Every structure is written in C-alpha cells, then in structure tokens.
Amino acid sequence: MKSNWYKVKLRDVCVQITDGVHNTVYDNTEGDYFLLSCKNIKNGVVYIGDKERRIDKKTLEKLRSRTKMSIGDVLISSVGTIGETAIVKEDNPPYEFQRSVAIFKPNQHYITPRFLYYSLRHKKKKLQHLAEGAVQQCLFINPLKEFEISIPTLEEQEKIVNVLSSLDNKIELNEKINQNLEAQAQAIFKSWFVDFEPFKNGKFVDSELGKIPEGWVVNTLSNIVSLKKGKKPKNLSETKHKNYMPYLTIDALSGGNPLFCDTGKMLLAKEKDILLVMDGASSGTIFYGLDGVVASTIIKLELAEFEVREIIFAFLNYKQSDLKSHTIGSAIPHLDKDRLLSYKIALPSNEKLLRKISDTLTSLRDNIVRNKKESRRLSQLRDTLLPKLMSGEIDVSDVAV
C-alpha cells in the first residue's frame, strides 16, 4: 500500500450503518413502492421485478425515517448470499429493504460513495468470511462497523472510481441497449404471430388457436423441440484448464463470474442456444449468450428445425411469465415441462416468409449477444483492475479527474 493510503474502520467514514426493517411489514398490493431484499441486489444494480412486495407511501416513509436512505448510499447483501453490492442512484428511491441488506451512508468528507462501493466490492471474500451462522450466514451490523478498508485522498479516490465507473457505465449502457432490442423483438413477434398485423388484408382460416392466416399451420411445441437436462460435474475450478468450459449456472448466465468444469460427457451449449431454468425460484427463466456446460438445474432446448430457433426463442419470451407463474412442486418450484411442451404456435408453411421473419429476429439477437460479449470483456477488465486500483498498486496520480 502506498504511503498516502491509510486504514480506517467503516464506522469512522460513515455517518450511519444500519440494515433494513426487522419488524413485520404489511404489504399493499396497490402500493407504488417496494419492500426489497438481498435477492434484488446483483452485479452492482438494484433490480425490481414484476412480483416484488408492494407497500404504500405511509409505510415507505415510516421505514425511511429509520434508514434515511438516499442517493449515494451503498448497499450490501448481509443474509444468505453475502457481499453483493450496489449504490443508490435515486434521490428518493421508491423502495426500502428487509433486514437482509445493510445500508451505508458515507461521510463524504472522508470517502466518496463510489469509492466505498468499490471498496466493499473489492473486499467481498473477506466480508463473506466475517459472516456468522450455521443454518443461514449473516453479516451483523457491529462487526461491519469495525471492518477495515484502506483509503487515499479524496482526489485520488475520485480518479480511481472514474477508471472503474467508465467500464461499469459502458456495461450499463449495453444492458439498456439490449433491453431496447429485446423489446423490439417482442413487438415484432407479437405483431406477426399473435396479432397477425402484416396479414390483416389477407384471407384467414379457422384453427384451434382461432383465426390464422391462410397457409399457416398450428404446431405443438413437443413436435418442434426436445428438452435436454444438464448434469452436475465431478469437479469445479475457479480457473480454466484444458478441455474446461464455463459451467452455466443461473449466476454465470446472469453475468456473474463462472466456475469451470471438464466438458467430458457433459451437455454443451452455444451462445444462442435456448436455456431454461428447471429447478428453484427462477424456474421458467430463459437464458442464452454464453458458450459452456449446461448446469444441473438448467435445460437446453434442441430444435428439430434450426430455421425456427429465433421464432421459438421469441415465442418462449412471450410465454415466459406464464411459465414462471405455473411451476409445479411445493417446497421447491420446478418448471412444468408438460405445460411447456403443450404450447401451440402457428407458423407459416411458406419457407421464404419463415426465413424472412427468422432473419429479422436473428439480426436483433446477434446484436444482443455482441453486446453481452463486450460487457463480459469489460467486466473481466474491471475485475482485474479492481484489486490493483483499490490497493494503490496502479498509480493514478497522472489521471485527470
């Protein structure tokens, strides 16, 4: 560590360190605000899904009076999955947290919010070792207050976070672009295969799905795809060896750093293969975008006809909320394979038309995959620079703020 860096305890550089609510909170399904948990913090972002717990404004204000959460506060998951971090980017965030999230309010006379965020991210493994509990790991507030980090001057902090933030900002931009491209793909699919808008002036015929364009045929998904389940490998490694590929777990497919395993006798996936979560709370979620070994909780869809892959992918995206809301199993949710394979879709029998639609959707997903690849490369670069920047190993004195 360089001479102008010094060690501090978190309590000495934070105005307040607390966690989310411990008491019972009553939901309000009509509320405009959210009560989130540690599962909503992932890869530096606070995710708000479609099925989050909702609360009203009065409840939010009551919880806010204790946490005083505002823009620049740093969040860390403190129960279960330890050490996921994010930074509050809204001046008046529309959410509060359950006790599974710790909230740090930095004293900006000593530490910038982004430097605190990257410090905690850098110290993730040490924070995980600080967790207690046999059944469920927990990070408690008092040990967090005593946790030590190293900081330089405020000017140097700003230079360091500017380097790291430039990478994170590009990753975030790629994510927004991909969301827009996915919305375009869904709009095109709905127009062609649900509303049949390009064929409104043509002839329609009766079918089991209702009126469909003449020359189109209703197909059951079981006649188009087969399901292949992944397997658990004998060994997993943090480093890539010969004949090893990324093990495609939910975390790896969501942007986390993958572990690696031997490809021998394992189910492999290419970056545009369609993968579905088979077991657990994420059952029914669709993934793609990474070459690797399919994990044991994931299934790969193999298509009888390659030409319809992009259409089937868009169809499953359209049906994803239905899949996720109709899982089977009580203690542990599972994908309802029978329901999946019973889905029906009308497809044009005209190969030229089929190829035209497929090419349009393929172009959109190619761009998405390209952005995903760039984001993974930037993420790896950031993770390589992070320990060197946060220890002072890389000199940033000549970097302009």
Side-chain angles (χ1 to χ4, degrees):
M1 183 169 33
K2 292 168 65 175
S3 58
N4 62 333
W5 287 60
Y6 55 98
K7 288 186 176 182
V8 295
K9 293 181 178 180
L10 289 176
R11 62 177 166 82
D12 295 325
V13 292
C14 290
V15 176
Q16 176 177 283
I17 301 174
T18 187
D19 55 9
V21 60
H22 289 232
N23 302 327
T24 301
V25 175
Y26 294 102
D27 297 353
N28 182 339
T29 55
E30 302 299 319
D32 295 322
Y33 305 93
F34 304 93
L35 183 62
L36 306 179
S37 70
C38 59
K39 68 179 177 63
N40 296 97
I41 299 177
K42 190 71 177 173
N43 297 325
V45 177
V46 177
Y47 288 100
I48 301 178
D50 297 331
K51 297 182 179 179
E52 307 298 346
R53 292 181 61 183
R54 288 183 172 269
I55 54 176
D56 54 33
K57 186 176 181 180
K58 184 178 179 181
T59 302
L60 180 87
E61 289 173 344
K62 181 180 178 181
L63 300 177
R64 184 68 45 84
S65 67
R66 185 178 75 86
T67 66
K68 299 178 175 60
M69 188 167 63
S70 62
I71 189 169
D73 285 2
V74 178
L75 312 168
I76 184 168
S77 58
S78 56
V79 175
T81 302
I82 303 293
E84 290 293 332
T85 48
I87 190 165
V88 178
K89 296 182 179 180
E90 305 96 333
D91 190 35
N92 187 25
Y95 51 80
E96 277 288 337
F97 286 98
Q98 301 172 48
R99 68 172 294 269
S100 58
V101 174
I103 305 162
F104 299 80
K105 189 173 292 294
N107 185 334
Q108 298 190 43
H109 292 295
Y110 303 106
I111 192 168
T112 70
R114 292 189 298 170
F115 191 86
L116 176 58
Y117 162 72
Y118 284 117
S119 292
L120 295 177
R121 186 171 185 139
H122 170 49
K123 297 284 188 178
K124 182 176 180 177
K125 286 190 176 180
K126 287 190 175 181
L127 287 165
Q128 289 172 336
H129 289 144
L130 192 66
E132 304 173 40
V135 178
Q136 188 175 50
Q137 291 278 285
C138 298
L139 269 176
F140 294 103
I141 294 301
N142 286 335
L144 280 173
K145 289 179 178 179
E146 301 300 315
F147 190 76
E148 287 188 340
I149 61 172
S150 298
I151 63 173
T153 64
L154 286 172
E155 182 183 5
E156 192 163 349
Q157 288 179 38
E158 198 61 36
K159 290 179 178 181
I160 289 169
V161 299
N162 281 349
V163 173
L164 296 168
S165 293
S166 66
L167 299 172
D168 276 334
N169 290 342
K170 177 55 178 170
I171 293 169
E172 188 174 335
L173 176 61
N174 281 347
E175 177 64 24
K176 289 179 179 177
I177 291 171
N178 280 355
Q179 288 173 1
N180 181 268
L181 291 171
E182 287 166 356
Q184 288 182 49
Q186 277 298 287
I188 291 169
F189 174 82
K190 187 174 183 296
S191 171
W192 281 70
F193 292 92
V194 178
D195 301 327
F196 304 115
E197 287 178 352
F199 313 100
K200 289 294 186 185
N201 295 326
K203 185 177 179 181
F204 278 69
V205 297
D206 290 324
S207 79
E208 55 193 300
L209 294 178
K211 296 283 188 179
I212 62 173
E214 186 177 35
W216 287 48
V217 178
V218 174
N219 296 263
T220 304
L221 210 57
S222 60
N223 295 326
I224 302 174
V225 305
S226 59
L227 311 179
K228 304 292 183 182
K229 196 172 190 297
K231 296 189 290 185
K232 187 175 289 187
K234 291 181 179 179
N235 297 298
L236 287 168
S237 170
E238 291 187 358
T239 55
K240 188 176 182 180
H241 304 291
K242 186 179 180 181
N243 298 324
Y244 275 46
M245 291 184 73
Y247 187 55
L248 303 182
T249 61
I250 295 171
D251 183 64
L253 290 163
S254 300
N257 292 324
L259 296 172
F260 299 89
C261 70
D262 195 327
T263 58
K265 297 182 179 179
M266 302 295 284
L267 179 65
L268 304 182
K270 295 290 188 181
E271 62 187 13
K272 290 178 71 177
D273 283 339
I274 305 169
L275 305 176
L276 271 167
V277 180
M278 183 73 187
D279 307 306
S282 299
S283 292
T285 303
I286 301 168
F287 285 110
Y288 67 98
L290 196 61
D291 293 344
V293 176
V294 180
S296 58
T297 60
I298 308 285
I299 57 173
K300 171 185 170 183
L301 273 67
E302 295 191 342
L303 285 85
E305 296 180 32
F306 177 79
E307 291 78 9
V308 298
R309 181 183 64 183
E310 298 306 316
I311 296 170
I312 296 304
F313 174 77
F315 175 57
L316 290 175
N317 258 332
Y318 179 73
K319 286 288 193 178
Q320 185 169 203
S321 60
D322 180 77
L323 277 175
K324 294 174 77 170
S325 60
H326 290 90
T327 54
I328 56 176
S330 52
I332 300 175
H334 301 285
L335 176 73
D336 188 341
K337 292 186 292 184
D338 292 336
R339 186 179 188 88
L340 167 66
L341 293 173
S342 70
Y343 286 152
K344 297 180 187 297
I345 181 173
L347 296 172
S349 53
N350 183 311
E351 289 187 8
K352 186 176 179 180
L353 178 59
L354 191 68
R355 194 176 301 112
K356 177 185 176 182
I357 302 169
S358 181
D359 287 348
T360 300
L361 295 173
T362 297
S363 175
L364 289 170
R365 198 149 75 106
D366 282 344
N367 286 330
I368 293 171
V369 169
R370 193 158 38 246
N371 289 336
K372 283 176 177 281
K373 279 183 175 179
E374 182 185 43
S375 291
R376 279 197 300 275
R377 181 180 59 80
L378 294 172
S379 177
Q380 289 166 358
L381 176 59
R382 178 203 61 211
D383 293 344
T384 300
L385 291 174
L386 182 63
K388 297 179 179 181
L389 286 167
M390 302 309 290
S391 64
E393 181 182 340
I394 295 178
D395 185 4
V396 294
S397 56
D398 293 331
V399 175
V401 177

